[in-house]
Amino acid sequence: TNPIFAFTSVIDAHSVLRRNDSGLVGAELLESMTKLGEKLESLRPNTYACLSVLYGWSSCGSIDAGERATELLRKMEADMKDAASRGEESIMRTTQRCYILAQTAWARSQSENKATGALEVLHMMEKNYAEQNLEARPTVQAYSMVLNACAFADSVEVDGKIVKASPKQQMKAFQIAEVIMSRLSKEPYPNVKSTSMTYGTFIKCCGRLDLPNNIAQESASRAFADCCRTGYVSDFVFTQLRYALPPEKFLNVLAQNGYKNLNSKGKSLSRDGKRIRPVRLDDLPDEWKRCVDRNANRSNR
């Protein structure tokens, strides 16, 4: 049995329970492994060990979790460069999951920099892939994780208390979300483009962040129109739109995109046209949902 497993098992046990000290425990054990690895080759930290530590930072929710996870990524990338300069292969090679876990650490923290931090990790991932680390190929999930960090940038930790983020901070997070959606619209990598998850998470940004109503509602409406056009309307997307818009605006947006089962006052009608009832996902045009099942069954890229 690889002796590293003894260390990673302890880290993972803390992480699975989402203990608030799981990140620190992982960092301390990684430091111990590093020192021991100087004398014992089998205890030199490798990608597997680093993944356990990143998992710890992603699950603990501490305010510095994103920063500490990003710091570990930088160490891994530096080790890769050092190994390459010697003509060797690094045993701390970064993978897609490494970057995703670091983004998760940012998203679950209460740092005021969570949106910019998650974006920075995406840029690191893109750069590392461009430098021929094929295991770091950016995925739709990596872009979605930036959006997720933006959506939860409405609160921060100040002096140990969770408070509402300033309007300026929330607007900055929203602008980052807009940049991500713009990037996805251009399909930066083959098959890396907007899906139900990214559309829904962007609309969630519009609903959660403290934005001027005209910006929030117009942006959510525009994203939903694009989602209808591309056929990715799912239950998640539909639910987030309902939360992001006032009832009247919600129904108007459905009508503007071609939903016809409404009366003259914008209320949803039953199939026999005699009763008013809530709009359900099953009522929406199949054309709006045509890619959802196929995307759900597609393996993660």
Side-chain angles (χ1 to χ4, degrees):
T1 303
N2 191 321
I4 282 182
F5 291 161
F7 288 84
T8 57
S9 295
V10 175
I11 302 171
D12 293 345
H14 283 71
S15 302
V16 167
L17 296 174
R18 292 198 176 184
R19 289 174 55 107
N20 56 16
D21 64 346
S22 59
L24 287 173
V25 169
E28 290 172 0
L29 290 177
L30 183 65
E31 184 176 354
S32 296
M33 277 188 277
T34 302
K35 291 179 179 178
L36 290 169
E38 293 173 357
K39 298 179 179 180
L40 188 62
E41 181 73 16
S42 60
L43 277 176
R44 283 182 58 203
N46 56 16
T47 298
Y48 180 79
C50 292
L51 277 168
S52 284
V53 179
L54 288 168
Y55 182 33
W57 287 122
S58 75
S59 64
C60 69
S62 66
I63 190 171
D64 64 341
E67 294 174 11
R68 298 292 296 272
T70 304
E71 180 184 346
L72 178 53
L73 279 181
R74 291 196 185 101
K75 288 181 179 179
M76 295 176 73
E77 290 184 347
D79 188 81
M80 290 169 61
K81 289 182 179 179
D82 289 344
S85 68
R86 301 190 301 268
E88 301 174 358
E89 183 79 14
S90 171
I91 64 172
M92 294 175 65
R93 194 173 188 83
T94 58
T95 65
Q96 292 174 341
R97 183 159 172 75
C98 293
Y99 294 99
I100 297 296
L101 286 173
Q103 289 179 312
T104 304
W106 278 111
R108 288 180 175 166
S109 76
Q110 290 296 332
S111 169
E112 64 180 12
N113 298 316
K114 66 168 61 181
T116 54
L119 179 63
E120 179 188 3
V121 173
L122 175 63
H123 289 162
M124 292 172 66
M125 189 181 196
E126 292 173 328
K127 184 173 184 292
N128 203 251
Y129 177 66
E131 292 172 350
Q132 304 307 308
N133 179 10
L134 301 184
E135 294 181 50
R137 184 182 185 277
T139 61
V140 174
Q141 185 183 10
Y143 288 85
S144 181
M145 287 305 301
V146 180
L147 293 172
N148 190 55
C150 293
F152 287 94
D154 58 331
S155 62
V156 296
E157 182 178 327
V158 178
D159 297 328
K161 296 181 179 179
I162 306 301
V163 299
K164 188 175 183 180
S166 69
K168 182 178 180 180
Q169 290 171 330
Q170 295 190 57
M171 178 57 75
K172 184 176 182 178
F174 178 71
Q175 290 170 343
I176 289 173
E178 287 190 308
V179 168
I180 292 298
M181 293 302 288
S182 177
R183 289 284 305 282
L184 287 172
S185 70
K186 298 179 177 70
E187 197 170 340
Y189 304 94
N191 296 313
V192 175
K193 55 187 177 181
S194 286
T195 63
S196 298
M197 182 56 66
T198 56
Y199 282 120
T201 308
F202 178 77
I203 294 172
K204 189 173 189 174
C205 291
C206 300
R208 283 186 61 96
L209 297 176
D210 186 8
L211 307 169
N213 282 340
N214 62 318
I215 294 178
Q217 294 181 20
E218 288 174 8
S219 298
S221 301
R222 185 166 55 250
F224 183 72
D226 288 342
C227 190
C228 292
R229 178 178 54 79
T230 55
Y232 281 104
V233 176
S234 65
D235 183 63
F236 176 60
V237 172
F238 194 49
T239 298
Q240 294 307 318
L241 185 72
R242 194 188 299 273
Y243 286 145
L245 300 178
E248 184 176 354
K249 178 69 173 178
F250 170 74
L251 291 170
N252 286 342
V253 167
L254 296 184
Q256 289 167 6
N257 285 284
Y259 181 68
K260 303 182 183 303
N261 196 20
L262 298 170
N263 67 8
S264 60
K265 295 182 179 180
K267 303 296 183 181
S268 177
L269 299 177
S270 60
R271 293 187 182 278
D272 59 14
K274 297 179 180 180
R275 289 170 289 114
I276 295 174
R277 59 173 174 74
V279 183
R280 300 172 302 178
L281 181 68
D282 290 344
D283 300 327
L284 303 182
D286 290 338
E287 183 70 9
W288 294 4
K289 302 172 287 184
R290 66 186 183 276
C291 296
V292 173
D293 289 339
R294 184 172 73 236
N295 184 62
N297 293 328
R298 192 180 294 167
S299 60
N300 182 40
R301 289 186 169 83

